[in-house]
Amino acid sequence: MEHTNPLEHETGYCGNESAGERRSHHSDKMKANLITRLNRIEGQIRGVKGLIEKDTYCDDVLNQISAIQSALGSVGKLLLEGHLKSCVVDKIQAGDPDIIDELLVTVNKLMK
């Protein structure tokens, strides 16, 4: 019986490795969601640059930076959730215990 991931339509799946290249396959809906969020973040960053150029009060700039960090954290959480529910599960089921060490390194980076 072929393994199918019930989250494939929602989050996509990872691990399609051809010629050593690791790739993830997100649904069109997930890609659109992530790109929309990243475009918004990109706009926020340009806004902060403009605030600095206009000598805006530091506290106001710092609050905008905090909002950007929160938005980036949300993107990271979405990707991490999809990764856990698909890539990590698939690799564990395939007998690849190294995925846990890889995941721990990634989570440590995200938590900094």
Side-chain angles (χ1 to χ4, degrees), residues 7-57:
L7 295 171
E8 182 174 330
H9 298 291
E10 190 69 28
T11 61
Y13 62 95
C14 301
N16 183 19
E17 297 179 22
S18 59
E21 181 180 341
R22 299 187 318 168
R23 300 179 56 94
S24 132
H25 297 276
H26 300 289
S27 69
D28 289 341
K29 181 179 178 182
M30 175 61 90
K31 277 186 193 179
N33 182 0
L34 292 170
I35 289 169
T36 297
R37 288 170 181 258
L38 290 169
N39 285 339
R40 190 175 306 127
I41 292 165
E42 185 177 26
Q44 288 175 300
I45 291 170
R46 281 192 305 270
V48 166
K49 181 180 174 188
L51 293 175
I52 291 171
E53 290 170 345
K54 292 187 257 180
D55 295 321
T56 303
Y57 185 62

Side-chain angles (χ1 to χ4, degrees), residues 91-103:
K91 288 193 178 245
I92 288 171
Q93 289 175 343
D96 181 2
D98 294 337
I99 190 67
I100 299 299
D101 291 331
E102 178 185 280
L103 178 63

